[in-house]
Structures are given as C-alpha cells and as structure tokens.
Amino acid sequence: MFQLRSLLRLREGGQRLASQVSGSAAVGGETVSDGLMRLVCTAGLGTLAWASLSFGESVAADEAEHGLASAEYPWPHNGVFSSYDHASIRRGHQVYQQVCAACHSVALLHYRDLVGVCYTEDEAKEMALENEVTDGPDDTGEMFDRPAKLSDPLPRPYANEEGARYANGGAYPPDLSLITKARHDGENYVFSLLLGYRDPPAGVTVREGLYYNPYFPGGAIAMPKMLADGGVEYDDGTPATESQMAKDVTTFLAWAAEPEHDDRKLMGVKWIFVLSLVLMQAVYYKRLRFAPLKSRKIIVDAVN
C-alpha cells in the first residue's frame, strides 16, 4: 500500500514539472515546437555555410595546385574513328622549330618519326643535314662531328640541365615529348597556357622575371609570352594567328606524345570488323546447331 502511494506521488510530481516547463516555454507566444524549429533552421544554415566554405577552400586549393581549369576544346582527333590533322602537325612542327626549340627539347622524337607523317623522306633528310651531331669515337679514339641522319634525335637546345637553368635564370624548360600526357588536362591545358598571358589582377603581385598566367599552377610562370600574330610564316599559306599557332603546336605535341594514335585506331577498326564477322558466324552456327533440338516435339504417353 505504501509503495502504491509513493508511485502516485511521483506521478503527480512529474505532471506538475511538465506543466511548468511547457508554461515557461510558451512565454512570449513561442511554443516548444517553435523553438525546436528555430534550432533546426539555425543548424541547417550553419551546415550550409560550412559546406560552402569548405567547397570554396577545396576549389581554391585545386586551382593553386593545377591552375585555372581549362575549357574543353573540340580537338578533331579525339573522336573514336578520328585521326590527327597531319597538315596541322606539320604547321605545329614549324612553330616548334621557330619558337619553342630555342628553350625546349623533344628528346624522344627522331627525324625518321616525321617521315610519312608531316614530311617526305627527302624533306626529313634535308632537314637533318642542317644540323651536326657529335659521334664517335673514331679509329683514333676521338669524338667527331657529322651531319645528322634520319636515325638521330631532334637537336636539344642545351647540353644538360645545369646549362638550361643557367641560361633561364634558374628555371628549367621541360622536355616537351610527353607534355600533353604529363600535365593536368593535357592538350586543353597546353593550349590555354599558350594563350593565357595577361596582366595580373588588382591585389596580385608577380615578382620580377615571372609572368602572370592563371592557367599555370601558382599563377606565375618563368616563360614569357612567345606567340604573336604573324610570328611564323606557314609553308601552306595558312594565316599565322596566335590562336592558330597555339592550336597547331598543341596538335604537334599531342602527336609527339602518341605517335601510334592513328595506327592504334586503325587496328581497332580492323579488329571490330573481324570480330563482327566472327559473331555473325557464331550466331548462325548456334541457330543451325540448336534448331533441330528447339523445334522437336516431345510426346509423353502417360497411359502406356
């Protein structure tokens, strides 16, 4: 009996406490549900602000690491069955020779690689004869200079990295053989970088000897703007605008990084054709082999 009375008193005390809490929460016309709703909205806005700040920081960090994101350009060789524009490769090699070769090398390219792609064999041989390479040793053990041959690589502007850094104020011009594969966003990055030089915006300072380019990681690059309208005279008479030269030299560098590109796609087309014939034969043989089995009629004589 005593325990029953104690339970009743505890129940009455809990009811009075609940009524006091609800009364105090309703002061000023605001109920508990309104307070909870306000708390949820505040928490949601705080979460949204934190997410926006985090996203902005991640975008800024990515831009600092990779530079300003490049646009997606419709390169004609990116299609499944598309090949390189070989006229553009030839023009791009001219831009490389007359503009880029003073500082950058393409160590993985040989004169023979140009034959049948953008030059004839005679043109490539004539081009090679314009340069001399060190060979040897001869019978006396001495090194000697000779005219270059088709089997020789394209000449390098500097003998070693130390000489390249000394001539460029400490900056090392990278080899361009695989530049479209080694850089973020490949061809789009190279094209945007070549055309991306501009004056630094307000509040951005670039130290002496560097140039502002938002597409370069960090925004400051040691290479000055090299392309200008009319800077190269094309053999085929194409107007040498700045954007045309940037497009052509980017195409040339894309081919230098993937010279097997066209052959690989051509081989893929051949394999698709052959496998299509094999598939047709397999389907025909399957229907021929299983047609008697699928068309036969089975009768079950359950009586006998």
Side-chain angles (χ1 to χ4, degrees), residues 37-239:
M37 184 62 68
R38 178 179 296 179
L39 180 62
V40 170
C41 292
T42 304
L45 291 175
T47 303
L48 181 61
W50 175 82
S52 301
L53 181 61
S54 300
F55 177 75
E57 291 177 351
S58 64
V59 170
D62 183 74
E63 186 170 316
E65 180 181 0
H66 300 296
L68 185 66
S70 305
E72 290 290 335
Y73 296 102
W75 298 100
H77 53 267
N78 281 346
V80 178
F81 301 108
S82 301
S83 64
Y84 283 121
D85 181 356
H86 289 252
S88 182
I89 294 177
R90 180 175 179 128
R91 294 194 299 267
H93 178 256
Q94 289 183 249
V95 176
Y96 166 76
Q97 272 193 314
Q98 300 181 33
V99 179
C100 310
C103 298
H104 296 274
S105 61
V106 279
L108 300 182
L109 278 186
H110 296 71
Y111 287 104
R112 63 171 177 261
D113 297 325
L114 304 175
V115 176
V117 177
C118 51
Y119 294 98
T120 64
E121 183 175 350
D122 292 337
E123 288 175 330
K125 286 181 178 180
E126 183 179 353
M127 189 187 309
L129 290 175
E130 297 175 358
N131 299 281
E132 288 190 345
V133 297
T134 301
D135 202 352
D138 57 13
D139 296 338
T140 63
E142 299 293 333
M143 305 298 289
F144 61 93
D145 293 335
R146 62 166 176 81
K149 301 182 294 186
L150 290 180
S151 58
D152 292 316
L154 270 65
R156 299 185 179 187
Y158 305 104
N160 48 56
E161 180 178 341
E162 289 72 18
R165 290 188 182 277
Y166 179 77
N168 291 277
Y172 179 57
D175 181 83
L176 301 181
S177 301
L178 301 173
I179 195 68
T180 59
K181 295 297 182 184
R183 292 297 183 266
H184 179 73
D185 210 11
E187 302 154 35
N188 295 321
Y189 165 78
V190 174
F191 181 80
S192 300
L193 181 72
L194 292 174
L195 299 178
Y197 289 89
R198 61 200 66 183
D199 295 330
V204 176
T205 57
V206 179
R207 69 178 176 86
E208 186 179 358
L210 299 181
Y211 305 88
Y212 180 72
N213 192 319
Y215 296 99
F216 187 77
I221 185 173
M223 182 180 73
K225 179 181 173 64
M226 300 300 297
L227 299 181
D229 292 343
V232 174
E233 185 176 352
Y234 285 136
D235 294 339
D236 59 1
T238 301

Side-chain angles (χ1 to χ4, degrees), residues 282-296:
V283 171
Y284 177 79
Y285 178 77
K286 181 260 182 186
R287 292 178 63 87
L288 180 66
R289 178 67 180 83
F290 286 93
L293 299 177
K294 290 186 176 182
S295 61
R296 66 181 178 176

